[in-house]
Amino acid sequence: MRLVNSRSSINQKTLEPTFRGRVTIAVLYVVGFAWYVSFKLLLAPITKEVTKMAYCDSIPWVRGEVLYFSILMMMPSVLFLFQGYRILKFKQWPIPDAYVWRPTVIQSDFWVTFQGCFFLLVGIAIPVAMIISLTAFPEIITLLFGSPAEIGCA
């Protein structure tokens, strides 16, 4: 990534895109779309079949689905924490060596620091909300971690 002066102002610097950065962004979009399509084509029909099963037969499937969606919900949390840390570390947005699709003006003011703190707050709030929701409904914990006798399948 190159830092060059912007055409509009001498004081503003921009982060210019590179071919590698654009290819990386395009690949990430394709991977995300492929994950979404695979979920719709593979996991959604399985989920519909699990709901038709007997209660005791569906418990392992339900546990797997809850684990899958828990991991899925934690991924944005990790990304928010990592991005917030890097914003506060470098005190600028976009961070150095970031992949950009088009020339982007580098910002380094109060709002960038606020954005970094906000990202950290959201990154912490997601797992806290998940823990609170699990403790608020003890039936979920019993369903996930209970023995067959506790669930009622003995």
Side-chain angles (χ1 to χ4, degrees):
M1 306 279 171
R2 298 179 289 140
L3 292 176
V4 296
N5 286 335
S6 174
R7 294 185 195 107
S8 61
S9 172
I10 297 294
N11 297 333
Q12 290 184 337
K13 296 203 179 268
T14 61
L15 191 61
E16 294 291 322
T18 62
F19 177 74
R20 179 180 179 200
R22 286 183 173 172
V23 168
T24 303
I25 291 170
V27 166
L28 288 174
Y29 274 108
V30 168
V31 167
F33 182 73
W35 175 85
Y36 173 76
V37 168
S38 69
F39 173 76
K40 283 295 187 184
L41 294 178
L42 299 173
L43 292 179
I46 292 173
T47 304
K48 288 180 184 176
E49 290 298 319
V50 168
T51 58
K52 297 176 187 174
M53 290 179 171
Y55 176 71
C56 292
D57 295 336
S58 67
I59 298 297
W61 291 95
V62 171
R63 287 178 177 169
E65 289 174 355
V66 170
L67 178 65
Y68 172 77
F69 286 112
S70 298
I71 291 171
L72 184 67
M73 289 300 297
M74 292 303 287
M75 289 170 57
S77 174
V78 172
L79 294 176
F80 274 116
L81 287 170
F82 184 67
Q83 195 71 5
Y85 168 74
R86 291 190 69 189
I87 290 171
L88 292 177
K89 179 180 176 184
F90 293 111
K91 303 276 193 247
Q92 74 177 40
W93 178 259
I95 53 178
D97 296 329
Y99 297 130
V100 292
W101 192 259
R102 58 188 171 87
T104 307
V105 176
I106 296 176
Q107 303 171 9
S108 57
D109 54 2
F110 166 77
W111 291 107
V112 172
T113 306
F114 178 77
Q115 182 182 19
C117 293
F118 181 75
F119 278 16
L120 286 176
L121 182 67
V122 170
I124 292 169
I126 292 172
V128 167
M130 288 180 62
I131 291 170
I132 289 173
S133 67
L134 282 176
T135 56
F137 301 103
E139 300 85 18
I140 296 175
I141 295 174
T142 304
L143 177 68
L144 293 177
F145 304 112
S147 66
E150 292 174 326
I151 297 171
C153 294

